[in-house]
Amino acid sequence: MNGSKLALVMGGGGARAAYQAGVLRAIARRFPNLQLPILTGVSAGAINTAFLASREGSFGERVLDLEDLWRGLSTERVLRSDALTLFKSAARWMLRLSTGSSSLAPHPRALVDTQPLRELLTEALRADSLALPGIARNLRADLEAVAITTTDYANGASITHVQSRAPCGWSRPSRVGVRAELSVEHIMASAALPLFFPAVQLGASWHGDGGVGLTAPLAPAVHLGANRILAISTRYERSSRDPLPPPTGYPPPAQVIGLLMNAIFLDMLDQDALNLERVNELIAALPEDRRRGLHPVRLLMLRPSRNIAALAAAHESRLPQPYRFLMRGTGTKETRTPESLSMVLFERPYTSELVAMGEEDTEKRMGEIAAFLEGEDRSALQFTGFWRV
């Protein structure tokens, strides 16, 4: 469609982002030379966004490399999971809590050390100490803008860091877009699960997971000029046919933490999709001369057809023993759907199964996905998938 500008938006979810790689793999088989001029991501979705934005080759070639990254993952490549490191971390937290944050107590920054992930990303993205050279190269070719969102812990603001061809920026209440030369540190900050992963210093402020303060996950793509958005969520939406799980006693910490993580990182994408559809309906109801430059933004959202948390429970035993011991301490074995575990289980069999699930789900919907990517203007596309307005 003439004048169409397509954006890819990828949400968070930690290890669940392997599902996004599977979705993209299925799309790449059908559209190996797909042009995605606008790429935005938050949390673990920022890793996939940066990978597509910085690697060389066609869309299909970049996606193949991304799939290999997720299928080859292990806990040791993301965080230090040896017994001594985890024991030291736990001891620091216990000492801080037991002394009332005394000035003599250590100041732990997170439960785990993610230096292995920083090294993995530096290698995979072929980064130098300050930037991702591949992004600048691709901006001279088919890429127009790439945006990664973090949360400024000092004030709770959602900061979207944008590297683009043209000057851009925006300022909304608690939501700001700024120009930046993206680096591995931006990705590490966006993917820094609160308390679990350490915050990252960007300039004078400390930043963490971009999903914490992001109330409008689709907004960066809209600000950057997209009029068609393909969004990939990692949240399973229970249908009316799915029975509610029976009560199992007092909820363990893992169950409560998982619900909080879903609310913070995953639910807002659904809410923003609903808001976008309502705005589209209002714009469509206005005469052209009263729209003040506004235009509908078409959205197609893809999401898992099965409960990823239940899948994580089946793979929990594959974790390294010290790390498994730490996770079980939060109660991951006391719930059948450990949401928190599904976000931090970085093991090859689990991530490979998520990739396969993404491919399978996408193939089932390839007809409508193809219609959307080829520019067909079907209103029904806005109401398909696993969510309903």
Side-chain angles (χ1 to χ4, degrees), residues 33 44 80 118 140 152 181 201 208 213 218 249 302 317 365:
N33 296 308
R80 290 183 173 143
R118 179 177 279 104
R140 295 190 293 267
D152 188 334
E181 189 172 18
Q201 189 170 14
L218 302 173
L302 307 177
S317 62
R365 298 184 60 190

Side-chain angles (χ1 to χ4, degrees), residues 279-320:
V279 171
N280 283 341
E281 290 175 356
L282 290 173
I283 293 173
L286 289 172
E288 289 281 353
D289 60 350
R290 297 187 59 189
R291 293 184 180 180
R292 299 184 179 182
L294 297 177
H295 57 82
V297 177
R298 301 301 179 191
L299 169 69
L300 181 62
M301 186 185 294
L302 307 177
R303 65 162 73 253
S305 61
R306 290 178 281 149
N307 193 333
I308 289 180
L311 176 63
H315 288 281
E316 185 262 359
S317 62
R318 299 180 183 274
L319 287 171

Side-chain angles (χ1 to χ4, degrees), residues 160-176:
T160 299
H161 310 267
V162 182
Q163 190 168 345
S164 63
R165 294 181 190 175
C168 63
W170 57 88
S171 181
R172 301 291 186 273
S174 300
R175 195 161 50 82
V176 180

Side-chain angles (χ1 to χ4, degrees), residues 315-336:
H315 288 281
E316 185 262 359
S317 62
R318 299 180 183 274
L319 287 171
Q321 186 172 2
Y323 186 49
R324 184 169 70 247
F325 181 80
L326 175 66
M327 295 306 299
R328 286 183 176 179
T330 68
T332 54
K333 290 292 288 183
E334 299 170 44
T335 173
R336 284 178 288 184

